[in-house]
Amino acid sequence: MTRKHRVAHTIDFSSLPPLDTVLMWEGQRYVVVGSQLYRRADGSEVPLIRWRSHCPDCDAPFETTTPLKARNPNRRCPKHHRIGVAVSNGARKRQHRDGQHRQAPSRRRPPPQTDPN
């Protein structure tokens, strides 16, 4: 018998979610793999959720942490991490099933031809 995973669409928990809870964030799948305590500057400790996902640029697995309530998780692995740059659907579409990355077609127009005479 297979175990049904809890699926969330926002990071808004009142307590730590159970292991294997799935977060679907803008088409990207995150799975809870654990938790850890974080000590703030004032000395108080807060729990953090550890998530595992795959980078949309290179398909490499990575882990990230969030508090119990957050706006959005990290979308990329440390190698491709780009703050403030959205993950486009095109990045996912350019990946082959085996995880290899294809070169996207160029959108640049060729420079105008000038007459050498």
Side-chain angles (χ1 to χ4, degrees), residues 5-80:
H5 300 290
R6 176 179 175 203
V7 178
H9 296 279
T10 60
I11 305 172
D12 188 12
F13 299 99
S14 57
S15 62
L16 287 170
L19 292 177
D20 294 333
T21 297
V22 174
L23 169 68
M24 292 304 296
W25 184 263
E26 295 180 2
Q28 191 167 348
R29 185 176 189 263
Y30 295 81
V31 180
V32 174
V33 293
S35 63
Q36 64 191 56
L37 288 176
Y38 174 76
R39 186 180 302 273
R40 292 181 178 173
D42 65 2
S44 63
E45 291 185 338
V46 294
L48 295 177
I49 306 168
R50 283 191 5 237
W51 302 93
R52 180 173 293 137
S53 187
H54 286 82
C55 178
D57 290 336
C58 66
D59 204 36
F62 71 95
E63 286 190 10
T64 187
T65 58
T66 64
L68 297 178
K69 296 178 189 299
R71 288 189 181 181
N72 54 359
N74 187 358
R75 303 290 305 270
R76 295 180 175 93
C77 67
K79 180 179 176 184
H80 295 105

Side-chain angles (χ1 to χ4, degrees), residues 55-59 90-104:
C55 178
D57 290 336
C58 66
D59 204 36
R92 289 188 173 278
K93 290 178 183 175
R94 285 190 298 268
Q95 291 179 0
H96 289 285
R97 289 180 187 224
D98 61 359
Q100 296 298 318
H101 201 69
R102 278 193 300 189
Q103 182 69 29

